[in-house]
Each structure stands twice: as C-alpha cells, then as structure tokens.
Amino acid sequence: AVVMTAHLLLPALDPERPATLSPAVLTELLRGELGFGGLVVTDALVMEAITGRWGAGEAAVLALEAGADLVQVFDSWAGALSPALYRQYAIPALKKITEAIPEVPVTLFSKGAWFALNDLAQLPCRVIGLDWHIPPSFAREHVGNRKVLQGNLDPAVLYGSTDEIRRSTIEMLHAFGSGRHIANLGHGVYPDIHPDHLRCFIDTVQSYQHHKP
C-alpha cells in the first residue's frame, strides 16, 4: 500500500509569542487535513516535545487515531545544534515520541545530524532517513543492519538533465547496495522542479536491479 505523508501547517515558535498548539487544535487539523495514511511530525512538534508544552508524542498518537499507518519525524534543523546539545535536548524528545507510538513504523529524519547516527539507531524507530551529505557506507558503519536506511539523493540533482538524474540515481542506489533501503531524496522536492524530472527519478528507482556478486 502507498502511504502518503504531508506537513501540517503549524504556528512558528516565536520566543516572544509562544505557540498555543493544543491536542484539541491538532485533532481538528488531523480530521480536516489528513485524508490519507501518514503524518510528518514537523520541527514545531519536536520543539513542543522538547519544551514540554504538552505531552511528547501526543501528536503522533492523535495521528494514529485519525488513521495514520506510519509516522515520520522531520527534524530539518537538527544540524544547527552542536552534538552535545542535540544529545541533551533532541534525542530525549525523539525517544519520547517514538516510544509513544509502538504500533506503527516510525522514520526519524534528522537533517545534518550525521554525528547522531549511533544515538538515533538506539531509538525504537524502524527507519533512519539520511540527507545527501551522509555517505551510505558511513551510515551503515554507524547504524549497522539494525535499521532501514532512507534517502538520499541530493534534491538539486533534479535540476539537471534526465541523463544526469538517471546516472546520479543509479550511483546512489549502487552505494546503498542490496541492504534494507528506501530510495528517496535527501530532503524535500524544491517547488520549481519540473515534474518530468521527478518522474525520471521515480522510474529509475523502480527499474533498477541490484546485481549480486
């Protein structure tokens, strides 16, 4: 089954105007905007968990009640923190979120947090997403076979020609090898990418076959 994901439109966390997102408000958002089986937990929700404004993981629990089949935590600004601060604040929050929803697969995508791969691998998630700066061999070295890896084509490659997209996609797939891997971009699709270029990426992934030695 195809499981779609989407960003929720959430208020920015301005220190001068703290967010007022509540479980009741989120429930209405879920009922009104998620007519499919997935939820992307955005940076705002991660910050809600870190600051303790309301129960960590509560958003994901509400998403399950609304019918989500999987959850992806999209921590886009993870690399803005030092390794020490990320382990002090973000890892405990991610742990609370993942432990709150053992019923469905959870993907953790912490952009720029190459230093935290070992920490992320200890959390009860199924998949670890990689941005395009992390070589697959480096990730496997630190994560091992405990988790599925997801990623990680540079989204800017989609600005190139179809031949360039096809070549780069095959190089990415070859780098991940035949281990457990979900082919994806290393971040989101830029809004001005031509749909035909995205189709080229998808078609290349679907037609690729690993050759066993």
Side-chain angles (χ1 to χ4, degrees):
V2 176
V3 179
M4 302 177 66
T5 58
H7 281 292
L8 293 175
L9 300 177
L10 300 177
L13 289 178
D14 185 337
E16 300 300 323
R17 294 182 300 167
T20 57
L21 184 67
S22 68
V25 171
L26 181 61
T27 299
E28 292 304 312
L29 284 171
L30 289 170
R31 289 174 178 168
E33 297 187 18
L34 293 184
F36 44 80
L39 168 69
V40 173
V41 179
T42 62
D43 305 289
L45 290 183
V46 175
M47 285 304 299
E48 292 285 333
I50 292 173
T51 56
R53 289 197 175 99
W54 49 282
E58 199 163 352
V61 171
L62 290 170
L64 299 188
E65 294 175 354
D69 297 313
L70 62 80
V71 171
Q72 174 163 314
V73 181
F74 214 113
D75 192 2
S76 299
W77 291 94
L81 292 178
S82 69
L85 288 177
Y86 195 77
R87 292 187 178 103
Q88 181 178 353
Y89 293 106
I91 292 296
L94 295 174
K95 185 173 186 290
K96 291 178 181 178
I97 292 172
T98 52
E99 288 180 343
I101 46 172
E103 300 89 347
V104 297
V106 177
T107 297
L108 296 180
F109 178 78
S110 298
K111 183 177 180 290
W114 57 268
F115 50 81
L117 286 174
N118 281 322
D119 303 276
L120 295 171
Q122 303 300 320
L123 300 179
C125 64
R126 187 83 59 86
V127 182
I128 294 178
L130 308 177
D131 65 63
W132 67 96
H133 297 103
I134 302 177
S137 58
F138 179 87
R140 275 291 174 219
E141 179 183 347
H142 289 79
V143 174
N145 294 317
R146 292 171 288 175
K147 308 291 184 183
V148 178
L149 297 180
Q150 176 178 286
N152 69 336
L153 186 71
D154 184 346
V157 168
L158 299 183
Y159 286 116
S161 67
T162 54
D163 286 341
E164 291 170 335
I165 295 168
R166 193 174 296 108
R167 182 177 62 253
S168 296
T169 301
I170 291 173
E171 289 174 354
M172 176 201 71
L173 294 169
H174 182 72
F176 277 98
S178 58
R180 297 189 297 168
H181 170 228
I182 299 172
N184 201 349
L185 300 177
H187 203 232
V189 179
Y190 300 127
D192 56 343
I193 292 295
H194 196 286
D196 288 346
H197 289 198
L198 185 59
R199 170 55 62 185
C200 177
F201 168 69
I202 294 171
D203 289 345
T204 303
V205 169
Q206 291 180 338
S207 63
Y208 182 82
Q209 291 185 344
H210 286 285
H211 297 287
K212 296 182 180 180

